[in-house]
Amino acid sequence: MYYGILFFLFLCFLFILISLLIVEMYYEILIYIFLFFLIILISFLIAAYILNTISYTKIFKTYNYKNLGYAWVPILRVHILGLLTFDDPVTVFSFSIKKEYVVWWWVLIFFAILIHPIIGCIISLFLIAKFLGKIYNIVFKKLDPSYDKVALGIKSALIPMIMWVKVLSNKTS
């Protein structure tokens, strides 16, 4: 989910490195600027991680899941949420698949990126929108029975801040 932020960090690092090579006399100022942006970026990532964990903890409480500590492990929380939300069997692209297999959808992201980085990123965005969007739609329906917006689940899968606001603003549990 945070590939874009990491890519941005890498581009910032390259920009600063090239700037240092071109303009040697201002390298101290450039280093301070780079460190400033790096601290801001790391602070944002830590805050995003904590907000995501708090949101998943609230979702786990809604489903009466007893091991709330698993919300701190990024891959594990998505896997457990899939086990909690999906009914058996799950219909994916008109195929009925057991939910024990469908919850491993996130492994496909790693294989897609390993096979071809650019096409893999496009495939991973599609998989995130498809599966995580479906999970979030089920969660939002459980949090608010009057919920009926399918597009919000897909948007929440691609932009986690939407999920944070939707889950944390809900008054239940």
Side-chain angles (χ1 to χ4, degrees), residues 13-158:
F13 178 74
L14 282 180
F15 173 75
I16 297 298
L17 202 63
I18 291 171
S19 298
L20 285 175
L21 293 174
I22 294 173
V23 185
E24 287 186 23
M25 67 178 112
Y26 298 112
Y27 70 94
E28 287 182 15
I29 295 171
L30 292 175
I31 288 175
Y32 289 129
I33 291 171
F34 173 71
L35 289 176
F36 175 73
F37 283 116
L38 184 66
I39 290 170
I40 289 174
L41 185 67
I42 290 172
S43 301
F44 174 76
L45 287 175
I46 291 171
Y49 176 73
I50 291 171
L51 281 172
N52 216 0
T53 300
I54 292 169
S55 298
Y56 273 92
T57 303
K58 185 169 182 177
I59 292 169
F60 286 175
K61 282 182 185 177
T62 303
Y63 280 93
N64 296 322
Y65 190 71
K66 59 185 172 202
N67 296 325
L68 299 178
Y70 290 156
W72 288 94
V73 184
I75 296 296
L76 187 59
R77 62 183 166 206
V78 173
H79 185 80
I80 290 172
L81 193 60
L83 286 173
L84 293 174
T85 56
F86 284 138
D87 294 328
D88 205 16
V90 180
T91 304
V92 179
F93 302 116
S94 303
F95 297 105
S96 289
I97 303 172
K98 292 178 99 174
K99 86 172 173 181
E100 288 80 19
Y101 302 128
V102 174
V103 296
W104 292 94
W105 64 270
W106 51 267
V107 176
L108 297 174
I109 292 174
F110 296 114
F111 286 125
I113 292 174
L114 283 176
I115 292 171
H116 193 279
I118 296 171
I119 296 174
C121 286
I122 295 169
I123 292 171
S124 69
L125 283 175
F126 175 74
L127 289 172
I128 288 170
K130 174 70 176 162
F131 290 104
L132 199 55
K134 189 171 187 174
I135 288 172
Y136 285 157
N137 277 327
I138 295 169
V139 167
F140 294 161
K141 186 73 171 169
K142 177 140 180 124
L143 289 172
D144 181 15
S146 65
Y147 170 80
D148 62 351
K149 300 173 184 154
V150 176
L152 188 63
I154 294 171
K155 290 176 190 174
S156 297
L158 297 175

